[in-house]
Amino acid sequence: MVTLPLTAGIFSLSVWAYLLFARGAFWKVRAFDADADRVEPLSKWPSVVAIVPARNEASTIEDAIHSLLKQNYPGQFSIVLVDDDSDDGTADAAHRAADALDQADRIMIHAAAPLPAGWTGKLWAISQGLAHLTAEPPDFFWFTDADVVHAPDTLRRLVSRALRDQLDLASLMVLLQAKTLPERFLIPAFLFFFLKLYPPRWIADPSTRTAGAAGGCILLRRRALERIGGFASIRDEVIDDCALAHAVKRTGGRIWMGLTRASRSIRVYASFAEIERTIARTAFTELRYSALLLAATAAGLALTYFVPVALLFVSNHVARNIGILTWAAMAAAFVPTLRFYRCSPFWAPLLPFIALFYLGATLDSAVRYWLGRGGAWKSRAQAPRRS
């Protein structure tokens, strides 16, 4: 006799069969590791300008600027830092970083104009950086965050990849911190869930509509930016990196996203609450601020992650065995991501409980939006107001 637990178990197992075998092999993270990329020799390297938006990043900006100034890039390369109304001395710290290496002439530091209506903060800061360029426009722009430290060969590898594969946008998902207990519990899953939403193989496939990027490290051709109408065309996007990738791909550009350990975020999350706020900033945006999609997501997470655990407590031994098999499958899929972060594989069976945390953050994201505090980051609520 087919019972409700058995039916739920079969559906859950079917979901994981799809994820493992038909979702672009997103969980095989080694296939997307870009650190081993071979740099192609070039007679002339294209010009690049790095744009760094920074808002209250005094604690990290010196390390970030040092890593940019130490790039061993053979072509013309300069840096524009945009101080986005910081009140913690971010610009002064950036000046000190450049002076310490005696390279103040390679970096321009500009204060962003007041944020106008209809723009999100990061995109406005980036557009301000572009507006302050005085030299001949470069071939590529490199958009990187003020809390990211890059290996000296990062730019060379990115440009080499872009030229070799004729890419308009090349992005690297930098390594996030996974040292504190909250980070080890939650951060590897952040990558796992992101790759599940945006499988890199599908991103790179021109025949698919999937488009994604990692905002901490994006290399973009100037011509591609002009083709999409500049950042004004996506000025109100909260998930700006994926919106940029979508705009480039929609207009015929080729895009790619890889993973790296060589470039890393130096932002530390000391508590579960800090990570929860980071997830809540964009989770409801990903669902297009739809209560219906929120309910569907909660149901989907329950079927995918919670049902296998619940089946361990039913009397039907077939359903129970299906639950064990499904839980083992999801844990096995999570192990490669844990290895990428050099975390113990013993975290893998905890994925259902990690997913529960992410569901809670998603619900909190919806509540924040309904209270008019959606997309909050650095004291700004950036999600559009409900009509």
Side-chain angles (χ1 to χ4, degrees), residues 207-224:
S207 67
T208 71
R209 297 180 61 186
T210 302
C217 181
I218 294 177
L219 185 75
L220 180 67
R221 283 187 191 268
R222 173 177 50 83
R223 292 196 305 270

PDB file of all heavy atoms in Angstrom, residues 207-224:
ATOM      1  N   SER A 207      23.499  28.536 -25.064  1.00  0.00           N
ATOM      2  CA  SER A 207      22.156  28.090 -25.430  1.00  0.00           C
ATOM      3  C   SER A 207      21.182  28.108 -24.261  1.00  0.00           C
ATOM      4  O   SER A 207      19.985  27.879 -24.447  1.00  0.00           O
ATOM      5  CB  SER A 207      22.212  26.681 -26.024  1.00  0.00           C
ATOM      6  OG  SER A 207      22.596  25.730 -25.044  1.00  0.00           O
ATOM      7  N   THR A 208      21.667  28.351 -23.039  1.00  0.00           N
ATOM      8  CA  THR A 208      20.794  28.401 -21.874  1.00  0.00           C
ATOM      9  C   THR A 208      20.571  29.845 -21.447  1.00  0.00           C
ATOM     10  O   THR A 208      21.353  30.735 -21.784  1.00  0.00           O
ATOM     11  CB  THR A 208      21.379  27.627 -20.680  1.00  0.00           C
ATOM     12  OG1 THR A 208      22.511  28.346 -20.161  1.00  0.00           O
ATOM     13  CG2 THR A 208      21.807  26.223 -21.100  1.00  0.00           C
ATOM     14  N   ARG A 209      19.509  30.086 -20.685  1.00  0.00           N
ATOM     15  CA  ARG A 209      19.212  31.427 -20.174  1.00  0.00           C
ATOM     16  C   ARG A 209      19.868  31.675 -18.820  1.00  0.00           C
ATOM     17  O   ARG A 209      19.843  32.806 -18.325  1.00  0.00           O
ATOM     18  CB  ARG A 209      17.703  31.604 -20.048  1.00  0.00           C
ATOM     19  CG  ARG A 209      16.958  31.522 -21.377  1.00  0.00           C
ATOM     20  CD  ARG A 209      15.462  31.701 -21.188  1.00  0.00           C
ATOM     21  NE  ARG A 209      15.148  33.004 -20.606  1.00  0.00           N
ATOM     22  CZ  ARG A 209      13.935  33.380 -20.238  1.00  0.00           C
ATOM     23  NH1 ARG A 209      12.912  32.546 -20.366  1.00  0.00           N
ATOM     24  NH2 ARG A 209      13.720  34.588 -19.735  1.00  0.00           N
ATOM     25  N   THR A 210      20.451  30.644 -18.207  1.00  0.00           N
ATOM     26  CA  THR A 210      21.063  30.795 -16.890  1.00  0.00           C
ATOM     27  C   THR A 210      22.241  31.757 -16.967  1.00  0.00           C
ATOM     28  O   THR A 210      23.139  31.602 -17.794  1.00  0.00           O
ATOM     29  CB  THR A 210      21.544  29.436 -16.365  1.00  0.00           C
ATOM     30  OG1 THR A 210      20.442  28.537 -16.302  1.00  0.00           O
ATOM     31  CG2 THR A 210      22.155  29.582 -14.976  1.00  0.00           C
ATOM     32  N   ALA A 211      22.237  32.757 -16.100  1.00  0.00           N
ATOM     33  CA  ALA A 211      23.310  33.748 -16.066  1.00  0.00           C
ATOM     34  C   ALA A 211      23.603  34.102 -14.617  1.00  0.00           C
ATOM     35  O   ALA A 211      22.701  34.445 -13.858  1.00  0.00           O
ATOM     36  CB  ALA A 211      22.918  35.003 -16.849  1.00  0.00           C
ATOM     37  N   GLY A 212      24.844  33.992 -14.237  1.00  0.00           N
ATOM     38  CA  GLY A 212      25.229  34.315 -12.875  1.00  0.00           C
ATOM     39  C   GLY A 212      26.663  34.798 -12.838  1.00  0.00           C
ATOM     40  O   GLY A 212      27.454  34.553 -13.752  1.00  0.00           O
ATOM     41  N   ALA A 213      27.008  35.485 -11.763  1.00  0.00           N
ATOM     42  CA  ALA A 213      28.366  35.978 -11.555  1.00  0.00           C
ATOM     43  C   ALA A 213      28.555  36.209 -10.072  1.00  0.00           C
ATOM     44  O   ALA A 213      27.587  36.237  -9.304  1.00  0.00           O
ATOM     45  CB  ALA A 213      28.620  37.263 -12.345  1.00  0.00           C
ATOM     46  N   ALA A 214      29.804  36.355  -9.662  1.00  0.00           N
ATOM     47  CA  ALA A 214      30.131  36.620  -8.267  1.00  0.00           C
ATOM     48  C   ALA A 214      30.698  38.030  -8.176  1.00  0.00           C
ATOM     49  O   ALA A 214      31.755  38.322  -8.751  1.00  0.00           O
ATOM     50  CB  ALA A 214      31.136  35.591  -7.755  1.00  0.00           C
ATOM     51  N   GLY A 215      29.993  38.904  -7.478  1.00  0.00           N
ATOM     52  CA  GLY A 215      30.310  40.322  -7.490  1.00  0.00           C
ATOM     53  C   GLY A 215      31.667  40.699  -6.935  1.00  0.00           C
ATOM     54  O   GLY A 215      32.150  41.800  -7.190  1.00  0.00           O
ATOM     55  N   GLY A 216      32.303  39.817  -6.181  1.00  0.00           N
ATOM     56  CA  GLY A 216      33.607  40.138  -5.611  1.00  0.00           C
ATOM     57  C   GLY A 216      34.724  40.174  -6.619  1.00  0.00           C
ATOM     58  O   GLY A 216      35.806  40.715  -6.334  1.00  0.00           O
ATOM     59  N   CYS A 217      34.495  39.624  -7.822  1.00  0.00           N
ATOM     60  CA  CYS A 217      35.552  39.578  -8.833  1.00  0.00           C
ATOM     61  C   CYS A 217      34.928  39.369 -10.204  1.00  0.00           C
ATOM     62  O   CYS A 217      34.606  38.230 -10.572  1.00  0.00           O
ATOM     63  CB  CYS A 217      36.545  38.458  -8.504  1.00  0.00           C
ATOM     64  SG  CYS A 217      37.917  38.314  -9.667  1.00  0.00           S
ATOM     65  N   ILE A 218      34.753  40.455 -10.951  1.00  0.00           N
ATOM     66  CA  ILE A 218      34.153  40.392 -12.287  1.00  0.00           C
ATOM     67  C   ILE A 218      35.027  41.161 -13.271  1.00  0.00           C
ATOM     68  O   ILE A 218      35.342  42.328 -13.043  1.00  0.00           O
ATOM     69  CB  ILE A 218      32.735  40.988 -12.304  1.00  0.00           C
ATOM     70  CG1 ILE A 218      31.777  40.139 -11.462  1.00  0.00           C
ATOM     71  CG2 ILE A 218      32.213  41.107 -13.728  1.00  0.00           C
ATOM     72  CD1 ILE A 218      30.368  40.717 -11.374  1.00  0.00           C
ATOM     73  N   LEU A 219      35.421  40.501 -14.343  1.00  0.00           N
ATOM     74  CA  LEU A 219      36.116  41.147 -15.448  1.00  0.00           C
ATOM     75  C   LEU A 219      35.126  41.319 -16.584  1.00  0.00           C
ATOM     76  O   LEU A 219      34.490  40.350 -17.017  1.00  0.00           O
ATOM     77  CB  LEU A 219      37.300  40.298 -15.916  1.00  0.00           C
ATOM     78  CG  LEU A 219      38.182  40.935 -16.999  1.00  0.00           C
ATOM     79  CD1 LEU A 219      39.056  42.028 -16.400  1.00  0.00           C
ATOM     80  CD2 LEU A 219      39.054  39.875 -17.671  1.00  0.00           C
ATOM     81  N   LEU A 220      34.972  42.559 -17.081  1.00  0.00           N
ATOM     82  CA  LEU A 220      33.953  42.872 -18.076  1.00  0.00           C
ATOM     83  C   LEU A 220      34.550  43.673 -19.220  1.00  0.00           C
ATOM     84  O   LEU A 220      35.254  44.658 -19.000  1.00  0.00           O
ATOM     85  CB  LEU A 220      32.827  43.685 -17.422  1.00  0.00           C
ATOM     86  CG  LEU A 220      31.661  44.121 -18.319  1.00  0.00           C
ATOM     87  CD1 LEU A 220      30.846  42.914 -18.777  1.00  0.00           C
ATOM     88  CD2 LEU A 220      30.770  45.114 -17.579  1.00  0.00           C
ATOM     89  N   ARG A 221      34.272  43.234 -20.440  1.00  0.00           N
ATOM     90  CA  ARG A 221      34.715  44.011 -21.603  1.00  0.00           C
ATOM     91  C   ARG A 221      33.967  45.344 -21.653  1.00  0.00           C
ATOM     92  O   ARG A 221      32.764  45.411 -21.417  1.00  0.00           O
ATOM     93  CB  ARG A 221      34.432  43.246 -22.893  1.00  0.00           C
ATOM     94  CG  ARG A 221      35.393  42.115 -23.189  1.00  0.00           C
ATOM     95  CD  ARG A 221      35.111  41.545 -24.570  1.00  0.00           C
ATOM     96  NE  ARG A 221      35.828  40.304 -24.786  1.00  0.00           N
ATOM     97  CZ  ARG A 221      37.034  40.228 -25.337  1.00  0.00           C
ATOM     98  NH1 ARG A 221      37.632  41.340 -25.748  1.00  0.00           N
ATOM     99  NH2 ARG A 221      37.621  39.059 -25.488  1.00  0.00           N
ATOM    100  N   ARG A 222      34.703  46.374 -22.003  1.00  0.00           N
ATOM    101  CA  ARG A 222      34.078  47.694 -22.122  1.00  0.00           C
ATOM    102  C   ARG A 222      32.979  47.672 -23.179  1.00  0.00           C
ATOM    103  O   ARG A 222      31.908  48.257 -22.981  1.00  0.00           O
ATOM    104  CB  ARG A 222      35.131  48.741 -22.474  1.00  0.00           C
ATOM    105  CG  ARG A 222      34.558  50.122 -22.791  1.00  0.00           C
ATOM    106  CD  ARG A 222      35.652  51.148 -23.052  1.00  0.00           C
ATOM    107  NE  ARG A 222      36.617  50.678 -24.018  1.00  0.00           N
ATOM    108  CZ  ARG A 222      36.471  50.742 -25.345  1.00  0.00           C
ATOM    109  NH1 ARG A 222      35.354  51.242 -25.851  1.00  0.00           N
ATOM    110  NH2 ARG A 222      37.422  50.309 -26.160  1.00  0.00           N
ATOM    111  N   ARG A 223      33.211  46.990 -24.289  1.00  0.00           N
ATOM    112  CA  ARG A 223      32.207  46.952 -25.355  1.00  0.00           C
ATOM    113  C   ARG A 223      30.926  46.275 -24.879  1.00  0.00           C
ATOM    114  O   ARG A 223      29.823  46.660 -25.288  1.00  0.00           O
ATOM    115  CB  ARG A 223      32.754  46.227 -26.586  1.00  0.00           C
ATOM    116  CG  ARG A 223      33.875  46.963 -27.291  1.00  0.00           C
ATOM    117  CD  ARG A 223      34.096  46.392 -28.700  1.00  0.00           C
ATOM    118  NE  ARG A 223      34.344  44.961 -28.678  1.00  0.00           N
ATOM    119  CZ  ARG A 223      35.540  44.406 -28.574  1.00  0.00           C
ATOM    120  NH1 ARG A 223      36.622  45.183 -28.455  1.00  0.00           N
ATOM    121  NH2 ARG A 223      35.680  43.096 -28.582  1.00  0.00           N
ATOM    122  N   ALA A 224      31.058  45.270 -24.027  1.00  0.00           N
ATOM    123  CA  ALA A 224      29.867  44.590 -23.507  1.00  0.00           C
ATOM    124  C   ALA A 224      29.076  45.522 -22.596  1.00  0.00           C
ATOM    125  O   ALA A 224      27.839  45.518 -22.613  1.00  0.00           O
ATOM    126  CB  ALA A 224      30.265  43.323 -22.759  1.00  0.00           C
TER     127      ALA A 224
END
